[in-house]
């Protein structure tokens, strides 16, 4: 592999010591190793545990226990939601108690929900009511001022939260937007230290893929190609790999509105169900795409900052990027990221969650990351995730 600036910062990519990189050039050897490792049903890779220790401040035992509880909570989500019925007001994983918490608006739903094994919390507004408020604010999308970074339902706060860049908080246009949004229903405000920007970057050499002069990161393998962020390249654009050889073309893209794309793979390249761990973190196998509840631990892999972990903080968010584009249906995580990570993998355990879109701040400062959920991408283009 050719030497790169970003790889020297992150450590050498080890091929064969763990799993192979997400995409292997035809001339590389040892291509069977990912599938040999795939037979081992591990609870969690050592690299995932190390990342959770570093980024979430957990001990090894705490990380393992949390992953087990998160998996149990994920299985409870559909059962608990059905049990809550019309009183359902959202759910999230509580890392302190290790339980799935389900918000309900009616006392009559408490017993049925708790019989599923979930905890309950009484609130005043159903998730349907909050989604209606968000939808009303979405209609204001053509007049969003600079300084408003987006909005979405916060199930834990039981309200719709509008994200505002702190330095713009007192701008008359922002205050007017917040007043109009508040007329739609219960609205809170959350300050961001920096605007939300997309995380593509100029060419620095040797990273996963390039479209023109933009560098982005591969998301997840699908049969016939891979998924990534839509802002990385227009439909029909040629895509080059880490070694600057041709991979394929962007075959489908949504940007703005969402931030999704898929690239076909050929010319001596092929796909494997692996997320790159960037040398110091063993690569991660992909076994599915089951969404995890808010509050769950979640990690991302990108060509600038490597492997970073945090928690899933929000879903179904509307985002306005600093360049003016608006995207709907996005999710937030506290895992940090930086330019060049766009399109990269967002994963929880061995379950694909989405592709990285952008963020506010970068690693080393106050940071949050935005990603496009994986399943809507697969459904839109009729793609099948490549899994073990």
């Amino acid at each position: 592999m050719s030497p790169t600036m970003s790889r020297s910062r992150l450590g050498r990519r080890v091929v064969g010591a763990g799993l192979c990189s997400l995409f292997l050039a035809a001339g590389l050897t040892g291509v069977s190793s990912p599938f040999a490792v795939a037979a081992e049903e591990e609870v969690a890779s050592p690299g995932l545990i190390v990342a959770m220790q570093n980024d979430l401040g957990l001990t090894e035992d705490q990380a393992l226990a949390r992953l087990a509880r998160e998996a149990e909570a994920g299985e409870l989500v559909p059962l608990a939601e059905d049990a809550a019925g019309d009183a359902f007001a959202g759910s999230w994983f509580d890392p302190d108690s290790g339980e799935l918490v389900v918000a309900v608006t009616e006392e009559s739903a408490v017993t049925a929900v708790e019989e599923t094994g979930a905890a309950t919390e009484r609130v005043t507004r159903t998730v349907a009511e909050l989604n209606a408020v968000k939808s009303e604010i979405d209609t204001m999308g053509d007049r969003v001022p600079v300084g408003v970074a987006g909005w979405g339902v916060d199930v834990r706060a039981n309200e719709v939260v509008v994200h505002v860049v702190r330095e713009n908080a007192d701008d008359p246009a922002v205050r007017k937007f917040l007043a109009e949004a508040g007329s739609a229903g219960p609205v809170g405000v959350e300050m961001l230290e920096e605007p939300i920007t997309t995380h593509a970057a100029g060419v620095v050499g040797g990273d996963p893929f390039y479209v023109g002069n933009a560098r982005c990161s591969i998301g997840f393998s699908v049969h016939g190609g891979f998924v990534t962020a839509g802002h990385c390249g227009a439909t029909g654009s040629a895509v080059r790999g880490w070694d600057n050889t041709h991979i394929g073309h962007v075959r489908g893209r949504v940007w703005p509105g969402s931030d999704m794309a898929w690239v076909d793979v050929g010319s001596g390249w092929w796909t494997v169900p692996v997320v790159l761990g960037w040398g110091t973190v063993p690569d991660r196998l992909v076994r599915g795409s089951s969404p995890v509840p808010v509050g769950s631990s979640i990690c991302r892999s990108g060509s600038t900052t490597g492997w970073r972990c945090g928690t899933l903080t929000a879903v179904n968010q509307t985002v306005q990027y600093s360049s003016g584009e608006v995207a709907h249906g996005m999710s937030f995580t506290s895992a940090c990221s930086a330019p060049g990570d766009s399109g990269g993998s967002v994963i929880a355990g061995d379950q694909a969650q989405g592709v990285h879109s952008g963020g506010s701040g970068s690693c080393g400062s106050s940071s949050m990351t935005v990603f496009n959920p994986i399943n809507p991408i697969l459904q839109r283009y009729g793609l099948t995730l490549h899994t073990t």
Side-chain angles (χ1 to χ4, degrees), residues 4-12 204 207 215 303-305 339:
T4 70
M5 288 173 56
S6 58
R7 191 162 296 132
S8 66
R9 292 196 301 270
L10 298 169
R12 292 179 59 83
V204 297
D207 289 280
R215 169 171 61 85
S303 61
T304 298
T305 59

Side-chain angles (χ1 to χ4, degrees), residues 257-274:
S258 293
D259 194 8
M260 62 175 74
W262 82 278
V263 176
D264 61 4
V265 168
S267 303
W269 295 73
W270 63 88
T271 66
V272 290
V274 176

Side-chain angles (χ1 to χ4, degrees), residues 19 37-46 283-285 287 350:
L19 299 179
V37 178
E40 300 178 10
E41 290 291 334
E42 56 188 0
V43 174
S45 72
D283 299 344
R284 188 74 179 142
L285 289 170
R287 294 193 172 98
D350 57 12

Side-chain angles (χ1 to χ4, degrees), residues 28 63 93 159 169 229 253 279 330 381:
L28 296 181
F93 176 75
E159 63 184 6
R253 178 220 197 188
M330 309 300 278
Y381 297 113

Side-chain angles (χ1 to χ4, degrees), residues 87-367:
F88 180 68
S91 62
W92 61 91
F93 176 75
D94 181 358
D96 293 328
S97 67
E99 295 179 305
L100 178 72
V101 180
V102 177
V104 295
T105 57
E106 301 292 340
E107 186 66 31
S108 58
V110 169
T111 299
V113 171
E114 292 183 348
E115 284 178 350
T116 70
T120 56
E121 183 173 309
R122 282 291 306 278
V123 296
T124 58
R125 309 169 190 98
T126 67
V127 74
E129 291 171 329
L130 294 175
N131 283 335
V133 174
K134 176 187 177 294
S135 294
E136 181 66 23
I137 301 174
D138 282 344
T139 66
M140 300 163 54
D142 60 348
R143 55 187 187 277
V144 183
V146 172
V148 173
W151 54 88
V153 173
D154 184 333
V155 292
R156 287 172 287 195
N158 197 229
E159 63 184 6
V160 174
V161 171
V162 178
H163 304 281
V164 173
V165 181
R166 189 177 299 279
E167 67 178 8
N168 300 112
D170 293 326
D171 292 355
V174 172
R175 295 174 70 87
K176 180 180 178 181
F177 181 89
L178 291 175
E180 188 174 349
S183 67
V187 169
V189 176
E190 181 175 301
M191 295 296 174
L192 296 178
E193 297 305 318
E194 298 180 30
I196 297 176
T197 60
T198 56
H199 276 171
V203 172
V204 297
D207 289 280
F209 81 92
Y210 305 98
V211 178
N213 289 327
R215 169 171 61 85
C216 283
S217 301
I218 290 168
F220 291 94
S221 292
V222 296
H223 290 286
F226 67 86
V227 294
T228 188
H231 71 262
C232 291
T235 302
S237 297
V239 175
R240 310 187 311 280
W242 59 265
D243 60 353
N244 211 36
T245 63
H246 179 74
I247 295 178
H249 293 84
V250 178
R251 291 303 183 190
R253 178 220 197 188
V254 180
W255 171 254
S258 293
D259 194 8
M260 62 175 74
W262 82 278
V263 176
D264 61 4
V265 168
S267 303
W269 295 73
W270 63 88
T271 66
V272 290
V274 176
V275 170
L276 186 65
W278 290 97
T280 56
V281 178
D283 299 344
R284 188 74 179 142
L285 289 170
V286 180
R287 294 193 172 98
S289 60
S290 298
V292 296
V294 167
S296 298
S297 55
I298 198 167
C299 300
R300 44 147 303 276
S301 178
S303 61
T304 298
T305 59
W307 181 272
R308 302 298 180 112
C309 292
T311 58
L312 178 64
T313 57
V315 298
N316 193 25
Q317 301 290 300
T318 297
V319 174
Q320 177 173 252
Y321 296 84
S322 60
S323 50
E325 292 89 348
V326 174
H328 303 280
M330 309 300 278
S331 296
F332 292 170
T333 171
S334 60
C336 72
S337 57
D341 288 328
S342 274
S345 318
V346 181
I347 189 168
D350 57 12
Q351 298 297 305
Q353 299 298 305
V355 298
H356 173 227
S357 175
S360 171
S362 60
C363 295
S365 66
S366 177
S367 179

